[in-house]
Amino acid sequence: MITRQFGIPVTSPGAILRRERDLGTPLGKKTGEVLQSGGLVSDKIIIELIEDWLRLHGGHGFVFDGFPRTLRQAESLMSILARLRTALDLAIWLEVSEQTVRDRISGRLQCGECGFTTSSSSAQFAERAVCPYCDGPLVRRSDDDLGVLQTRLQEFHTKTEPLASFYEKMSILHRIDGNRDREVVFSDISRLIEGKVAA
Ligand SMILES: [Zn+2]
């Protein structure tokens, strides 16, 4: 699934993987089980998916949401970009407290038909939760259970946090306070990206 914002394609490994799962590919079935238990899909698989996607869609700029998540992914991304003769302009680090993560996960709803995501606090429903775009049922994503949060946080501290210094050394890291309202955070992110797209 590709959404276009800022005039360039935006994607995430999650969106690519959910598409594989929905298509019922062997890769989709295998990774579905891993995601269900709150673990991370192997670096090797993620990197292959990202390289394929970049070759198809990344010719005129791109934004990755939630990638890379490990040092190995970050290093592989640099080799892929070197092969494609493309530079990485910006790494945005969203700083959020554990309480913010907890609050947002417990309130997140997703459409079972089209994948539209909202939160129970921002959406108001007369009787039952229905998607504003396709009338599909809005349900909690099964990988959103607070039970898997502890696993995710552990993975974050050991595998993802070292990326901050990786990108700091490259002088492309920008930190943003993600605990504020989503509109404010989004406008800060947009300003950073639009500055690079325009440059
Ligand atoms: Zn929908």
Side-chain angles (χ1 to χ4, degrees):
M1 184 193 301
I2 305 167
T3 49
R4 279 181 189 274
Q5 274 165 312
F6 320 113
I8 55 177
V10 179
T11 195
S12 68
I16 298 175
L17 286 170
R18 276 196 291 279
R19 182 169 159 74
E20 295 284 325
R21 184 197 60 194
D22 293 348
L23 291 172
T25 65
L27 181 65
K29 284 175 185 157
K30 196 167 76 178
T31 53
E33 289 163 19
V34 178
L35 292 173
Q36 204 76 30
S37 62
L40 292 175
V41 175
S42 82
D43 284 344
K44 187 171 175 292
I45 290 176
I46 298 281
I47 290 158
E48 282 173 16
L49 289 170
I50 291 289
E51 180 154 18
D52 284 350
W53 185 90
L54 272 174
R55 286 186 189 285
L56 282 171
H57 307 288
H60 301 282
F62 55 87
V63 174
F64 287 126
D65 176 4
F67 175 84
R69 286 186 192 272
T70 67
L71 265 183
R72 189 175 154 210
Q73 288 176 7
E75 286 159 358
S76 301
L77 177 62
M78 296 319 292
S79 333
I80 293 170
L81 292 177
R83 284 200 287 282
L84 299 176
R85 299 178 194 284
T86 302
L88 195 61
D89 297 319
L90 189 61
I92 300 174
W93 192 261
L94 276 176
E95 294 182 305
V96 289
S97 69
E98 286 195 13
Q99 190 54 51
T100 300
V101 174
R102 224 172 277 278
D103 292 347
R104 288 186 185 163
I105 285 179
S106 61
R108 192 154 64 159
L109 296 170
Q110 187 175 37
C111 173
E113 297 296 324
C114 73
F116 168 75
T117 305
T118 185
S119 68
S120 46
S121 57
S122 71
Q124 292 181 342
F125 307 103
E127 290 172 20
R128 63 195 182 92
V130 166
C131 175
Y133 295 102
C134 75
D135 289 338
L138 289 180
V139 291
R140 286 199 201 299
R141 269 170 44 174
S142 53
D143 64 352
D144 280 351
D145 294 341
L146 285 173
V148 303
L149 176 63
Q150 225 41 49
T151 314
R152 286 267 170 86
L153 287 175
Q154 201 56 46
E155 299 258 21
F156 173 77
H157 289 309
T158 57
K159 299 182 176 175
T160 307
E161 228 161 24
L163 291 184
S165 52
F166 179 84
Y167 288 119
E168 219 148 32
K169 283 184 195 130
M170 291 172 60
S171 305
I172 58 171
L173 189 81
H174 288 257
R175 293 175 190 272
I176 286 183
D177 176 4
N179 297 293
R180 299 164 301 160
D181 283 350
R182 58 190 287 174
E183 289 77 18
V184 182
V185 174
F186 183 72
S187 96
D188 277 5
I189 295 173
S190 301
R191 202 172 310 123
L192 279 174
I193 295 175
E194 279 158 6
K196 292 297 174 183
V197 172

